Amino acid sequence: MGSLFRSEEMALCQLFLQSEAAYACVSELGELGLVQFRDLNPDVNAFQRKFVNEVRRCDEMERKLRYLEKEIKKDGIPMLDTGESPEAPQPREMIDLEATFEKLENELREVNQNAEALKRNFLELTELKHILRKTQVFFDEQEGGLNHTTESMTRALITDEVRTAGASMGPVQLGFMEKSIEREDYLPCFVAGVISREKLPAFERMLWRACRGNVFLRQAMIESPLEDPTNGDQVYKSVFIIFFQGDQLKTRVKKICEGFRATLYPCPEAPADRREMAMGVMTRIEDLNTVLGQTQDHRHRVLVAAAKNLKNWFVKVRKIKAIYHTLNLFNLDVTQKCLIAECWVPLLDIETIQLALRRGTERSGSSVPPILNRMQTFENPPTYNRTNKFTKAFQALIDAYGVASYREMNPAPYTIITFPFLFAVMFGDLGHGAIMALFGLWMIRKEKGLAAQKTDNEIWNIFFGGRYIIFLMGVFSMYTGLIYNDIFSKSLNIFGSHWHLSYNKSTVWNNNYLQLSPATSDYEGTPYPFGMDPIWQIASSNKIVFQNAYKMKISIIFGVLHMIFGVIMSWHNHTYFRNRLSLLYEFIPQLLFLVVLFFYLVLLMFIKWNRYAATNEFPMTEACAPSILITFIDMVLFKNSKAPGKDCNIYMFAGQSFFQTIFVLIALACIPVMLLGKPIKIMQARKLANVQPITGASDAEVGGMSNGGGSHGGGGEHHDEEEMSEIFIHQGIHTIEYVLGSVSHTASYLRLWALSLAHAQLAEVLWSMVLSLGLNKEGWLGGIFLTVVFAFWAVLTVGILVLMEGLSAFLHTLRLHWVEFQSKFYMGHGYAFQPFSFDTIIENGGAVTETE
């Protein structure tokens, strides 16, 4: 079989590269992405490897590029991304790149520092401007009451008695004291500054308590926010002015201002001086605005120039780093002139890899060609399944359960069909399937543009990665919706119903429940051409009964066929790995057990559908049809079934009782064969090997009896070093799991019926309890009401029936594949092939995966 159904054949190779050509050769292999290198220095510390200095230089360049990227994103400058991947630069170009990044970083940091200093100066001047403007208002208010309150207020600040007397004088007036006052130590002083508006209440309380009420505070809000030069945040501040007397209070006030991070500014006492300072401040602000604009323009030009090349620079640096990281996995020979590597490569791509090595040698100008030797090994190779953008998502579903063992059958190609089909059995609705299919088709049509818009939204990345799965699930759901004749809980009457009313008009109008008999002229005698007859949509009494019986039976049919197919897949594994014991004592009894019990159950369903009908003559009428469930239970218990009615036949065909007894005996006989057959044969093979050499048997047969055979071990089972007691226990667990699992897994497929029923009922509830309310209204008000109701119904349909029910059906389908299907043949004990690929490294943001 091709690699679509099994993983690629892998080879362990030894690679010899000349030191001068190693960089170029590894670069070519990175572009190719088909080689997984092994670490030949596992015990060597990462800081002691040969190319650790080059890796550090790359880390430093990445740091500088991240700094540039942060500054570019801060300014909202678009970064040019052509989608092209430049080649890895030569080692000598690293110096040029380092010099370029160093120059850009230094220039940008210098510009940022200058801009921050200018902004800080601008902030100080702006605050000073507001202080001069606001304090002028304060002083103007004080001048009106200055002359007649000076002496009384000065004494009020000295003694408690005068303070008490002054408290009844009315509003307090403070200002500049005239020089005729006797004690100059108590001349009122003031400080002015700016403080954050959030801190102002606490600041005021602290001043009052610390100064014992001997200060007078006036404040006014600055209406427009001010920009913090450190982080660019907008901060709301207030201007304040504090009046006090004495040096002691002055010291205390300044300490409180310092503690609250308030900024103090000089404020002249004379009005003329304040006006002169205000004019000088405005002039300096205008000059600063001009300089700041020029600085921002220069910074913008630098960032725009860097944004054009930033993506390519990132790619180049990450490629260089990945190459040197990979070279650190190599060994140096004794002469220090040759690098030795070991790598896993796909067998079919060895020639392609050799051509890439030859190109790398030519690029480096080396005259010594690289040598690629295939090595013999008994290690399990990595599992490599080739995928494309269509099969990648399905392969990811399989790998999420477990990576396939080497050369084991790959379920992904079959899952491409079975997964969306089983999903559609649960989700069958033409309307809901169309919504899902259109969404998947939109992502497929726009995949190039959507893939270029790289986002960290995990939910969107999951949807986009599974766009082909979503599209197929929608298309298959549309198909099953046509089979169920269900579109938003309604039916399509495409071909015309094959049932007709034989009642007169008055009978129909006066009776809520009428029955149509298929044995009369009510039924044409031929089924609806495709899917269910639309008349079942209006059947109120037995619609659910009929659909339940139909969907329950097809769930069992699909489930049994799915499990049998899984067991047949195990036959391909056993024959490929020449595992004769598993083929004889596992595959054959497992298949027989499943066929004689559960496939026979499926045959009974088809026999019942074929032999019994309402139009048949007695005793093959519908009333005499035996219950399949009761028949199956009686078969397993060796009991005789009871006739469903008087004079009805117990069995569906002649000799049914005899065949059922034989089938149950065969199933019971398969259990000890599965339980003891393989362990006993292994025990006999070991005794024979210890007594004398095996003659007359091929190596493949001996290997199949002892350890499962197969190259590299692969999907075979190894028993050479396992004790017999463990082998018996292991086989017993597998046998019990299979026998009991066959019953539980068959019942597990009934979830197809259960979820399909729940989905259909939810759709019908939404239609009858939501949308039908709007459809029953008439007039222009009814149109408005219908629009609102339809919007509400559409939101519920997409949110609940498509998203939530779709997710539920998806998870149940995933479980059916992982547990019921893959458990029949899939081991999943392998490890993934992780080639050295530039595309993967760049997609992961430069992270280099460790390989062993």
Side-chain angles (χ1 to χ4, degrees), residues 580-587 589 673-674 677-678 681 731:
R580 191 162 58 91
L581 287 182
S582 296
L583 185 64
L584 294 175
Y585 300 106
E586 287 184 356
F587 166 72
V673 175
M674 288 187 287
K678 188 175 178 179
K681 283 294 182 180
Q731 193 67 23

Side-chain angles (χ1 to χ4, degrees), residues 401-666:
Y401 175 78
V403 178
S405 303
Y406 177 65
R407 299 294 289 166
E408 185 179 19
M409 285 294 294
N410 182 20
Y414 313 102
T415 305
I416 294 174
I417 299 300
T418 59
F419 192 93
F421 178 73
L422 293 182
F423 172 88
V425 173
M426 294 182 275
F427 195 75
D429 188 289
L430 181 61
H432 302 154
I435 294 173
M436 186 174 290
L438 289 174
F439 177 60
L441 183 62
W442 173 76
M443 289 191 291
I444 292 171
R445 293 293 302 272
K446 303 289 185 180
E447 63 182 8
K448 289 186 178 179
L450 295 174
Q453 299 173 2
K454 296 179 181 178
T455 176
D456 296 330
N457 191 320
E458 194 170 342
I459 295 178
W460 166 252
N461 290 335
I462 292 174
F463 276 117
F464 182 70
R467 57 193 179 278
Y468 289 98
I469 298 179
I470 294 174
F471 174 70
L472 285 181
M473 290 192 304
V475 171
F476 276 71
S477 297
M478 293 171 65
Y479 167 74
T480 54
L482 288 173
I483 295 293
Y484 298 155
N485 204 348
D486 196 354
I487 171 171
F488 299 121
S489 78
K490 297 301 175 184
S491 294
L492 296 174
N493 193 2
I494 301 175
F495 304 103
S497 176
H498 285 211
W499 293 80
H500 305 284
L501 291 174
S502 58
Y503 302 99
N504 57 42
K505 186 175 181 180
S506 61
T507 303
V508 174
W509 280 105
N510 295 327
N511 293 274
N512 293 329
Y513 297 101
L514 294 174
Q515 289 186 348
L516 301 180
S517 174
T520 64
S521 60
D522 295 341
Y523 181 55
E524 292 183 359
T526 57
Y528 193 69
F530 187 81
M532 287 189 180
D533 197 296
I535 201 170
W536 285 106
Q537 184 63 38
I538 61 173
S540 57
S541 59
N542 61 345
K543 171 188 173 182
I544 295 181
V545 176
F546 169 75
Q547 290 187 345
N548 276 358
Y550 166 70
K551 292 180 179 180
M552 190 185 301
K553 289 182 175 63
I554 64 171
S555 298
I556 297 296
I557 292 170
F558 291 147
V560 171
L561 294 177
H562 200 210
M563 290 190 295
I564 290 176
F565 180 63
V567 175
I568 293 174
M569 293 277 284
S570 69
W571 173 77
H572 290 284
N573 279 335
H574 299 327
T575 54
Y576 178 82
F577 294 113
R578 300 193 294 274
N579 198 337
R580 191 162 58 91
L581 287 182
S582 296
L583 185 64
L584 294 175
Y585 300 106
E586 287 184 356
F587 166 72
I588 293 176
Q590 285 178 358
L591 185 62
L592 280 175
F593 184 86
L594 206 58
V595 167
V596 299
L597 290 183
F598 300 101
F599 187 70
Y600 174 69
L601 177 66
V602 172
L603 290 179
L604 288 180
M605 296 178 189
F606 284 98
I607 292 172
K608 181 178 179 179
W609 284 339
N610 185 54
R611 293 179 64 85
Y612 295 91
T615 55
N616 291 352
E617 297 181 357
F618 187 85
M620 291 300 174
T621 60
E622 185 179 3
C624 288
S627 170
I628 293 178
L629 180 61
I630 300 300
T631 301
F632 185 74
I633 293 174
D634 291 340
M635 164 188 165
V636 176
L637 297 178
F638 294 102
K639 290 174 59 178
N640 291 326
S641 302
K642 295 182 180 179
K646 186 178 180 181
D647 298 331
C648 292
N649 292 331
I650 300 176
Y651 301 108
M652 301 182 190
F653 58 91
Q656 181 179 351
S657 177
F658 171 76
F659 283 111
Q660 289 182 169
T661 304
I662 295 299
F663 288 161
V664 174
L665 292 176
I666 291 174

